[in-house]
Amino acid sequence: MDIALAVIGGTGVYRLATLEDEEARHIDTPYGAPSGPLRIGRLGEVRIAFLARHGEGHALPPHKVNYRANLFALRQAGARRVLALNTVGGITDAYGPRVLACPDQLVDYTWGRESTFWDGEGEALHVDFGHPYSPMFRHKLLAAARVTGVRVVDGGCYGATQGPRLETNAEIARMRRDGCDLVGMTGMPEAALARELGLEYACLAIVANWAAGCGDAQEITLAEVLDNVAAASAGLPELVGELARG
């Protein structure tokens, strides 16, 4: 049976508890080991692959994630569509804590990460990246949200920062001026690498807190982040199942 959908989980989403007949598959890639095993199982009648981006024990900070190995392993396992769950901070008013958003643009502020599969040999990979998230796959994600009654904000710009520290008030103010609505640390190079592999790729951003200096932002605690992620993620099993069937 083919894998209908691959899901990459971010902070606070380390397993898909609703998977049935789950098996752990360990895959070696030319780019090293992925963050952990691929958890492959059934969600209803469809087959889903799940990978915890930071490892199942959250051992990997954003700048140490082997994004190339993660995406290559998913494709090697047979996935052609990838739903990225990214835990983020909200910058503009529509993206407060516990909101789910499906951004359509991003700005990359990261540095020093392995950002391409091109190794210097052969033709360079100049992929079209004007629309960093696959438009048709985004459309299907939003349609699945409507069918299941899960509220998802359509659109917005994701700003990917280096981490692992959180941003300063001035950095977030700059990002707001740049047009960013959301801030996270794992959106790149993952999206660009997916494009190089020819994978359909969309982001479902889980807003865990206000970014520095935004909303009623105070000191951000891990407990608050995890509580907000859990609350926002309540409808994910139904949403993922509907998307996988679509």
Side-chain angles (χ1 to χ4, degrees):
M1 187 187 300
D2 292 336
I3 292 175
L5 179 68
V7 179
I8 301 177
T11 298
V13 186
Y14 307 114
R15 297 287 289 269
L16 281 182
T18 50
L19 282 184
E20 301 174 343
D21 300 329
E22 182 186 294
E23 61 170 304
R25 187 177 299 179
H26 297 268
I27 295 180
D28 292 324
T29 82
Y31 307 98
S35 296
L38 271 57
R39 301 281 177 178
I40 299 175
R42 289 187 302 103
L43 195 57
E45 298 302 316
V46 293
R47 203 168 184 220
I48 304 288
F50 178 83
L51 176 64
R53 183 185 290 111
H54 298 280
E56 294 179 354
H58 200 103
L60 297 167
H63 65 299
K64 294 294 186 183
V65 172
N66 191 337
Y67 297 95
R68 295 195 300 177
N70 285 351
L71 288 163
F72 198 89
L74 290 171
R75 195 185 72 162
Q76 208 169 322
R80 292 296 178 267
R81 303 190 297 168
V82 177
L83 174 64
L85 306 179
N86 296 86
T87 302
V88 301
I91 297 176
T92 53
D93 292 346
Y95 301 88
R98 303 193 176 191
V99 162
L100 294 176
C102 181
D104 57 358
Q105 276 298 328
L106 63 80
V107 178
D108 186 10
Y109 301 95
T110 66
W111 50 269
R113 302 183 182 189
E114 294 285 357
S115 59
T116 179
F117 288 102
W118 186 56
D119 59 5
E121 298 182 5
E123 186 177 353
L125 298 172
H126 297 298
V127 294
D128 183 348
F129 205 52
H131 298 283
Y133 304 107
S134 305
M136 287 303 298
F137 192 38
R138 281 191 70 256
H139 175 77
K140 290 178 181 178
L141 173 58
L142 292 165
R146 289 191 293 270
V147 168
T148 56
V150 177
R151 183 174 181 273
V152 176
V153 177
D154 179 5
C157 182
Y158 178 122
T161 59
Q162 179 70 1
R165 66 164 177 85
L166 298 174
E167 301 75 29
T168 67
N169 286 22
E171 288 169 333
I172 293 298
R174 178 189 65 167
M175 294 179 71
R176 184 192 292 269
R177 292 193 298 270
D178 287 348
C180 296
D181 300 290
L182 305 160
V183 56
M185 301 175 188
T186 56
M188 284 290 285
E190 192 173 273
L193 292 168
R195 182 62 52 86
E196 287 190 357
L197 288 177
L199 298 170
E200 292 187 71
Y201 180 92
C203 167
L204 186 63
I206 304 168
V207 184
N209 52 270
W210 285 112
C214 300
D216 58 355
Q218 301 175 2
E219 183 178 356
I220 299 168
T221 67
L222 181 59
E224 174 192 17
V225 166
L226 295 179
D227 284 348
N228 288 339
V229 170
S233 302
L236 279 181
E238 292 77 15
L239 177 54
V240 168
E242 180 65 26
L243 178 62
R245 287 189 293 272

